[in-house]
Amino acid sequence: MTIDVDLDEVLEEIAEVARPAAAQGKVAPYLRSAADLDPDSFAFAVVEMDGTEHVTGDVDVPFAIQSMSKVFSLVLAMQKAETAEGVGHELWRRVGREPSGDPFNSLVQLEHERGIPRNPMINAGALVVDDVLTDHCEDAPASMIELASALAGGTVGIDEAVVEAEGRSGHRNKAMAYLMSSFGNLTHVVDDVIETYTRQCAVTMTTRQLARAVRFLANDGVDPATGEVILSAPLARRVAAVMLTCGTYDSAGEFAFDVGIPCKSGVAGGIMGLLPEEAGVCVWSPPLEESGNSVAGHVALRELTTRLDSSVF
Ligand code: GLN
């Protein structure tokens, strides 16, 4: 695929089709910032490898990246732990690579599978990634913010109100962490791991920044803005594979079927994705479907990959 249409026009047309779909979803109850709670927030950005940006809507409004942070934490863990065997690192003995088919905060599977989470894109898997990061980083959330800022070409923030609210309400995450500790799959103090996870979910970025930041995964692991190798090509491919198969929770099959590109969603309504060798993409609309993915975001991505004929399949 090469992008040979007027993308600015295409994005405007898609926004018109996608925006009304938001009415079918519900905003997640535990969000805090006004932007994250506004069901009418909508933004869509496509950033090409040469830096050309196509945008529509509220693309410069920051919102909590929530579960999209799981991509950055996984990348950081793979960076820190890259070995000659590449993917053979201890991380992959402690977390799987299979879609869960269960909600992102489910405890049931974890009990059956002896504390080994299905994949790093669900909460339990992200907690294991954070446990690994604690071994390698002095301040894991700060390292994630540094990575995200470098990739986004600008400073990204953190919403302390979200940290506080989720710190108080994250009972299921704590339950998962204790359960995994009981199986020996969490080595650090639960409160420390939870703190890292809570802070990474509260990182705020704009739609434009996220579309820029994800591009290296569409470019064999090299940030096209700086030429910096973020991950080796084989590892970048693995991250994209996990996004495709697990990045939208138990709607991952539906997204593969309908959208057909690696993507990762968050409960504030963002979904970032990649058009291999072409562009980074991000869409944001807070109302969610039952699995926790943005309804209008799903429609927008489906329209984009259909119009550009850019499904990877
Ligand atoms: N902070 C949210 C949680 O832990 C993130 C989940 C998500 O975006 N799916 O429940």
Side-chain angles (χ1 to χ4, degrees):
M1 185 211 72
T2 43
I3 299 176
D4 55 4
V5 296
D6 181 344
L7 254 185
D8 297 302
E9 204 176 293
V10 166
L11 288 198
E12 294 301 333
E13 287 166 13
I14 293 177
E16 259 181 56
V17 177
R19 272 177 188 268
Q24 291 153 36
K26 279 206 190 86
V27 173
Y30 51 85
L31 300 175
R32 280 296 173 278
S33 83
D36 296 358
L37 284 163
D38 181 354
D40 295 325
S41 296
F42 182 88
F44 198 8
V46 177
V47 179
E48 295 188 58
M49 287 307 164
D50 67 1
T52 309
E53 301 190 348
H54 308 273
V55 300
T56 183
D58 314 314
V59 286
D60 295 314
V61 175
F63 63 95
I65 66 172
Q66 293 285 353
S67 265
M68 286 185 283
S69 67
K70 289 167 182 159
V71 173
F72 299 118
S73 56
L74 177 62
V75 167
L76 199 58
M78 289 171 96
Q79 262 182 356
K80 299 282 177 199
E82 191 160 1
T83 61
E85 321 88 278
V87 291
H89 176 255
E90 127 217 24
L91 174 70
W92 298 115
R93 286 188 281 279
R94 296 174 56 190
V95 60
R97 280 102 62 162
E98 294 296 342
S100 69
D102 265 333
F104 59 79
N105 55 7
S106 171
L107 281 152
V108 179
Q109 207 163 44
L110 208 49
E111 169 73 358
H112 283 307
E113 298 181 358
R114 309 197 56 76
I116 308 288
R118 276 286 173 105
N119 67 69
M121 300 285 121
I122 52 174
N123 293 13
L127 291 167
V128 171
V129 170
D130 285 351
D131 195 60
V132 170
L133 280 180
T134 308
D135 288 326
H136 295 278
C137 306
E138 219 162 278
D139 181 344
S143 300
M144 271 181 248
I145 287 175
E146 201 181 310
L147 172 68
S149 298
L151 290 168
T155 315
V156 312
I158 187 156
D159 187 335
E160 293 295 342
V162 174
V163 176
E164 216 234 308
E166 291 204 32
R168 269 188 281 111
S169 64
H171 307 299
R172 297 186 73 85
N173 292 334
K174 286 174 204 153
M176 281 177 228
Y178 281 113
L179 189 57
M180 289 191 288
S181 296
S182 80
F183 285 112
N185 198 22
L186 218 64
T187 59
H188 292 279
V189 177
V190 164
D191 283 348
D192 293 350
V193 180
I194 290 287
E195 166 82 10
T196 296
Y197 175 75
T198 309
R199 293 191 76 74
Q200 76 181 68
C201 287
V203 167
T204 56
M205 293 176 74
T206 69
T207 305
R208 188 196 296 273
Q209 286 181 323
L210 284 157
R212 288 178 187 158
V214 75
R215 280 184 307 162
F216 76 99
L217 290 172
N219 193 41
D220 287 338
V222 178
D223 181 355
T226 59
E228 196 189 329
V229 178
I230 306 298
L231 279 183
S232 65
L235 294 197
R237 267 201 295 281
R238 260 83 186 195
V239 176
V242 171
M243 287 169 72
L244 182 94
T245 52
C246 314
T248 44
Y249 316 115
D250 47 340
S251 290
E254 187 65 28
F255 266 77
F257 186 87
D258 227 22
V259 177
I261 56 168
C263 40
K264 179 75 201 90
S265 61
V267 286
I271 309 177
M272 64 179 182
L274 48 114
L275 306 180
E277 286 163 35
E278 299 282 352
V281 178
C282 184
V283 58
W284 175 49
S285 164
L288 311 175
E289 35 82 318
E290 270 175 22
S291 307
N293 304 298
S294 167
V295 185
H298 182 159
V299 173
L301 291 175
R302 183 190 67 211
E303 289 297 311
L304 183 76
T305 57
T306 304
R307 288 178 194 223
L308 298 185
D309 193 19
S310 59
S311 162
V312 298
F313 299 107

